[in-house]
Amino acid sequence: MNNTNVNIEHLRTSIEHQIQHPYLAKYISDPVICEDKLMFLTSLLQDTDLSEDKQKHYIISTMLVQIALDTHELVNSSTMNEEDHVTKSRQLTVLAGDYYSGLYYYLLSKIEDLPMIHTLASAIKEINELKMKIYNQDFPSIAQVMDALKQVESLLIQRVAEFVNQPMMNKVAGDWLLAKRLQYEDRRFRKRENSPLIELLIKSTLVHQNGAQALRTIEKYMKNQMVSVEQSLTHLPGSFSTLKTYLQHHIYHSFYLKHQAVEEG
């Protein structure tokens, strides 16, 4: 556990160094580095015969793609009649996403890894297509919306796993990352903050749910995902013991304890 933690902290520092830009920092918040996705990628690539240097390049490049996708998603295109400083912030957020995307191409080009570039570029295309379908309400059922959202959250990791012939963690990654996204949406809605998924369910002409119904739907799927994660963990090989310990710890502290506190509150 300690060795992996050291590696992850080192990787986090490297990513932070890569995305540092003093001008952007004046106008937009620092991008969030998802600890869960970093853990999945690190556990995945440490179980291959790739050199340590190549593992690092793959992990950092994939995380830069994720940060770019997340940054672009922060832009609210529906906002009109903005103040000048807000408009500038939004414009810089778009440029920041493009900047982070460019960094991953640069890193992979240094090791002349065209197959990996193709893998990530193909995943980006799939993710953006899924996002458009979700936001355009192209899915006739909640189950299909949730499945698409699961793909959006985990597709990068799944494609990297398949690229290095290690697809055995794909199911647990998809289930866990969807559960975390649903938890995020649930938390924001309860705090009366913007919750894109719940707003989508409320506005959908196909789903027909009000706020309370949408919240119950999210809670139901969140619990189902946790059960699925716990079952999937039992099938992971012993080489993923660090990942299993990490997820088991967070299942208890991030879901069961917090959910109990919400119910009691």
Side-chain angles (χ1 to χ4, degrees), residues 35 44 102 130-131 172 229 244 263:
E35 181 183 358
L44 170 67
L130 282 166
K131 284 182 179 179
V172 68
V229 168
K244 291 167 79 169
E263 288 183 338

Side-chain angles (χ1 to χ4, degrees), residues 209-221:
Q209 291 201 338
N210 59 35
Q213 290 171 326
L215 190 60
R216 285 195 295 271
T217 295
I218 282 182
E219 289 174 341
K220 181 187 79 171
Y221 273 92

Side-chain angles (χ1 to χ4, degrees), residues 134 139 141-150 197 200-201 207:
I134 292 171
F139 295 103
S141 71
I142 292 174
Q144 288 178 307
V145 172
M146 292 297 174
D147 186 61
L149 190 60
K150 179 186 290 189
L197 179 60
L200 182 71
L201 294 177
V207 174

Side-chain angles (χ1 to χ4, degrees), residues 2-58:
N2 289 338
N3 288 338
T4 303
N5 280 339
V6 169
N7 289 337
I8 284 180
E9 286 308 310
H10 177 69
L11 287 163
R12 182 189 296 278
T13 301
S14 296
I15 294 166
E16 288 172 347
H17 177 72
Q18 290 282 348
I19 61 180
Q20 214 170 35
H21 195 294
Y23 183 73
L24 291 175
K26 290 181 181 180
Y27 296 97
I28 62 175
S29 302
D30 291 335
V32 175
I33 299 171
C34 179
E35 181 183 358
D36 295 318
K37 292 176 183 177
L38 189 53
M39 172 59 82
F40 276 115
L41 287 167
T42 303
S43 301
L44 170 67
L45 290 165
Q46 283 182 337
D47 198 42
T48 67
D49 57 2
L50 293 171
S51 69
E52 188 175 331
D53 208 40
K54 204 159 194 178
Q55 288 179 37
K56 181 179 175 181
H57 273 86
Y58 281 3

Side-chain angles (χ1 to χ4, degrees), residues 84-238:
D84 287 345
H85 71 281
V86 177
T87 303
K88 186 169 187 176
S89 175
R90 288 181 62 244
Q91 291 169 343
L92 285 172
T93 300
V94 174
L95 292 175
D98 295 339
Y99 172 66
Y100 304 142
S101 295
L103 286 176
Y104 105 80
Y105 281 113
Y106 171 69
L107 279 179
L108 289 177
S109 69
K110 288 205 301 184
I111 57 173
E112 299 181 346
D113 202 321
L114 291 178
M116 186 58 170
I117 290 176
H118 175 74
T119 296
L120 293 179
S122 176
I124 292 169
K125 179 176 180 291
E126 288 183 75
I127 290 168
N128 285 331
E129 287 174 351
L130 282 166
K131 284 182 179 179
M132 289 300 296
K133 285 186 176 181
I134 292 171
Y135 294 131
N136 289 334
Q137 303 178 24
D138 285 348
F139 295 103
S141 71
I142 292 174
Q144 288 178 307
V145 172
M146 292 297 174
D147 186 61
L149 190 60
K150 179 186 290 189
Q151 292 298 309
V152 166
E153 292 297 320
S154 63
L155 199 60
L156 274 176
I157 290 168
Q158 291 179 7
R159 292 293 176 263
V160 173
E162 290 158 7
F163 180 75
V164 296
N165 297 314
Q166 295 277 22
M168 67 284 294
M169 77 155 53
N170 280 358
K171 186 175 187 327
V172 68
D175 290 337
W176 176 258
L177 294 172
L178 176 59
K180 290 298 292 284
R181 174 63 184 267
L182 296 179
Q183 185 187 49
Y184 168 81
E185 299 281 346
D186 179 276
R187 183 172 59 246
R188 289 188 65 87
F189 186 78
R190 290 182 185 279
K191 292 168 66 177
R192 300 183 185 279
E193 295 176 350
N194 178 44
S195 172
L197 179 60
I198 291 182
E199 289 181 12
L200 182 71
L201 294 177
I202 293 171
K203 293 176 182 177
S204 172
T205 57
L206 299 171
V207 174
H208 303 295
Q209 291 201 338
N210 59 35
Q213 290 171 326
L215 190 60
R216 285 195 295 271
T217 295
I218 282 182
E219 289 174 341
K220 181 187 79 171
Y221 273 92
M222 192 161 50
K223 288 178 182 178
N224 290 343
Q225 293 307 122
M226 281 298 95
V227 172
S228 186
V229 168
E230 290 180 309
Q231 291 173 344
S232 297
L233 284 178
T234 64
H235 300 295
L236 278 183

